[in-house]
Amino acid sequence: MNILVIGDIVGRPGRKAIRELLPQIQKDYKIVFTIANAENAAGGRGLSREVMKELLSHNIDVLTMGNHVWDNKEILNFIDDEHRLIRPANYPPYCPGQGYHIYSAAFNQKIAVVNASGRVFLPSLDCPFRVVDEIVSEIQKESDLIIIDFHAEATSEKLAFAHFFDGRVAAVLGTHTHVQTADEKVLPGGTAYITDLGMTGPVDSILGMQKEQVIEKIIYQRPVRLEVAKGACQLQAVVLNFDEASCKCISINRISQELPA
Amino acid sequence: MNILVIGDIVGRPGRKAIRELLPQIQKDYKIVFTIANAENAAGGRGLSREVMKELLSHNIDVLTMGNHVWDNKEILNFIDDEHRLIRPANYPPYCPGQGYHIYSAAFNQKIAVVNASGRVFLPSLDCPFRVVDEIVSEIQKESDLIIIDFHAEATSEKLAFAHFFDGRVAAVLGTHTHVQTADEKVLPGGTAYITDLGMTGPVDSILGMQKEQVIEKIIYQRPVRLEVAKGACQLQAVVLNFDEASCKCISINRISQELPA
Amino acid sequence: MNILVIGDIVGRPGRKAIRELLPQIQKDYKIVFTIANAENAAGGRGLSREVMKELLSHNIDVLTMGNHVWDNKEILNFIDDEHRLIRPANYPPYCPGQGYHIYSAAFNQKIAVVNASGRVFLPSLDCPFRVVDEIVSEIQKESDLIIIDFHAEATSEKLAFAHFFDGRVAAVLGTHTHVQTADEKVLPGGTAYITDLGMTGPVDSILGMQKEQVIEKIIYQRPVRLEVAKGACQLQAVVLNFDEASCKCISINRISQELPA
Amino acid sequence: MNILVIGDIVGRPGRKAIRELLPQIQKDYKIVFTIANAENAAGGRGLSREVMKELLSHNIDVLTMGNHVWDNKEILNFIDDEHRLIRPANYPPYCPGQGYHIYSAAFNQKIAVVNASGRVFLPSLDCPFRVVDEIVSEIQKESDLIIIDFHAEATSEKLAFAHFFDGRVAAVLGTHTHVQTADEKVLPGGTAYITDLGMTGPVDSILGMQKEQVIEKIIYQRPVRLEVAKGACQLQAVVLNFDEASCKCISINRISQELPA
Ligand SMILES: [Fe+2]
Ligand SMILES: [Fe+2]
Ligand SMILES: [Fe+2]
Ligand SMILES: [Fe+2]
Ligand SMILES: [Fe+2]
Ligand SMILES: [Fe+2]
Ligand SMILES: [Fe+2]
Ligand SMILES: [Fe+2]
């Protein structure tokens, strides 16, 4: 049984990559369940209702978010209505939206997806180790497998998080840096891990945004409005292969496909 | 002509990986010049004279550093005496040590190696874009190729730096996060790039340090003395292939080799 | 009824200022209860058992802490044994020590003292607004007045915290920056406030530490071991005046006294 | 001879405080030269041409800026045309605007005003110690006195900066935290110093902005558009008294005046 988890989708080019590359990938890898990070899906910042609908219509089962979750204020209107959309579980409890959900997938598996955010160089949220520990304890019985999108900056925090949950969850998959790492593996306890899934969006860019603008922002140290870049797109993800009987993760493999402009 | 550039060497296990894996790699890949980041080579923090000698004795041509450069105060005694050791060029001008050097390699090439540090989530140094721009302008004529170890945390800063210098230098190779990225490529202008070379040190660790200690530090949010982990070691690096006549970079390939405990 | 709250005591000079200036201040201002921040009391970093005993022997009723609470590891041996010592309440719940305590003072008042830490530019703790909100709700009935030492860096976070609790607690007193602010006042809801109490320690210093060392650290951007400065000492604090019957805060007044070397 | 230096002017209420309080202050204190920080003067963020003209029309001689200098993009249109406007000198050299200027004041004194920004918890600019050191060396001969607006967050950096320049400049006056500190004094070398001048704007606010919005931003950890608060205004500043013959600073005194709503 194969599950696909897709790195941060950035703007229109990211959605184009989803539209044009995802069907074939799902077919080639016999994907039964697809998760994608959508925190940059609407114009590079947050998520709108239209963009959410568009992504869900392309056979994505769950959308996860990150530090950009509230950038598009429209989300406050629909985040509590869509169970296929989750945001970092460690935002304060009075924030709208949910941090995890249990889905029914093919073969009757119960797949729990949890979204959490790191705190190093990121907003001051509740401790993701404690919050997710409580969630995992609560849902472990009713879930066949638990997949966590851990949205974080620092490699140390991501690795610590994965080792902390190793053996208790099926996978800890990093997002946020938009650069795919080459360290995918199944940890000693059986949890699949990668530091970062990478980015689904324009190739010739800096994290999906126009290079010249990002460079200007850095060398002038002044605020610059960043816009999504154009041109060729990429889709980056991992395929998790699970044993259907035991729901143990057998392998994790990186995918990086490019779509010419 | 192949050049090897090795990711942050961490402590004794990292040096063991160098000792036992490097000779065969240099032979297999016909390496004519070897660069390695040594900011964590002595006990995980900085560099001592003994450790420097040990590394240079293993056929490493240049040692680069990073934000841990001053962690072992011993370095102040020898940093100005060893031209094979460079530290980030954008430390204040009155700091000891040098930020680049031009070396003579096989086939008579003049290989300039520059070390610089990013500023996002790192010490407040001089602007690496401006400092390196001046260095590159100055040494471009007398160098056949220029290789930059850009020691930085944020993927945006690393990518911006690489695109800023694309076409003017042979390679921009990221270090510091200790996690190898899967984005190695030759940029449009001809500069080889990878966001992070990875780490040369203990495999079962968090960035080379003992997992339990890093986890304790994070979940208690209190200072914990981190020690280098034990067990199986890895060596992570890239091989840069250059055309001997033009000194243009033809390809960049990742290496990740493991040495059982 | 007057309560004295003293800003961060730094090292030996800070303790000297306590020893030589506090008795007269307590007498002059008819102080019935004294609170002092002790996070820098032992050599500028943390607290030892000896130093704690010394401070408590000088007629201080409660010692509060801050981000340096764990710097002297000795504290793990005694923090759970001394009810007159509190540390920021928003450290993770499994940390040793307590975040508040209710004391019996002269005239039979029940004085609750709460210690909390801000999160802006400081360790990633639990949300101080939520944690203290729960504490205040819990202890409000059994306390005649509640005094909070809010240990934080950013003026915006400190002011936000004070306004959030205005009317529910007797006083929110900032610590951590070691510079006394001139904004002491009783807020509209009746809560006494000051952004920072200041520092009790060596006058000719940078936050209590030797000037040359701090300057070296900044201009070289390298780690420098900071030592407590010498010479003339100061004691900085506020006097809170309460109506004995209603336990309402009537006034807050700054104190800054100097002791020649 | 008295010089007035005014803390960050925030929005319309700040300008109202200038308009209604400044004339009397200038008269009462026999002010011959007035400097004011204007980084928040236009709607709380940056400076527009209209607002600049308005402030200069109220008998202010020099406007300084800070980290918000580029927030209102309009400034790019006029920053190079107005010598009475300066921005932090340690922005990259290719940024528009100037970091200091020498003005002719009453009694024929040449008053140099320098603006610089700290780097702790602020944008990664050039080292303010080195940049200002060069400026001071260059202008020392042609200036009768040099006044520095050091716009910084951390008290340690501000104190280090002041001690670094003590004896070489007339005054180092901190801005940016919007909370006036109670540590004004003439340092041993003769330089007048205060950690922060405070804020000129709405009293019932958090740093000039609406309290509820700042609190919402913190407790939800999400982006909130902050607006300037309303109601009673304050003007905060210091008066520097200089000996006319020697141009030595004799005293520094805080001012904090309130204007009812
Ligand atoms: Fe993202
Ligand atoms: Fe993100
Ligand atoms: Fe490193
Ligand atoms: Fe590093
Ligand atoms: Fe302190
Ligand atoms: Fe502190
Ligand atoms: Fe300001
Ligand atoms: Fe500012």
Side-chain angles (χ1 to χ4, degrees), chain A residues 198-209:
Chain A
M199 188 258 293
T200 297
V203 175
D204 189 29
S205 72
I206 295 176
L207 314 190
M209 310 315 272

Side-chain angles (χ1 to χ4, degrees), chain A residues 7-10 37-41 44 65-68 151 175-178 198-199 207:
Chain A
D8 303 33
I9 299 167
V10 180
N37 186 295
E39 70 149 4
N40 310 106
M65 299 295 285
N67 54 309
H68 291 288
H151 195 80
T175 55
H176 176 68
T177 74
H178 291 208
M199 188 258 293
L207 314 190

Side-chain angles (χ1 to χ4, degrees), chain C residues 4-10 13-26 29 31 34-36 55 58 60 180 197-203 232-239 254-260:
Chain C
L4 184 74
V5 192
I6 301 170
D8 303 34
I9 300 167
V10 180
R15 278 133 53 199
K16 188 184 172 201
I18 291 293
R19 191 173 62 240
E20 307 207 6
L21 297 172
L22 183 55
Q24 192 62 40
I25 291 172
Q26 290 178 327
Y29 291 89
I31 301 299
T34 301
I35 303 165
L55 290 173
H58 291 305
I60 295 177
Q180 197 176 58
L197 293 173
M199 189 258 294
T200 298
V203 174
C233 316
Q234 68 186 23
L235 186 155
Q236 294 190 323
V238 292
V239 176
R254 281 187 285 114
I255 289 182
S256 182
Q257 289 195 6
E258 212 169 310
L259 182 73

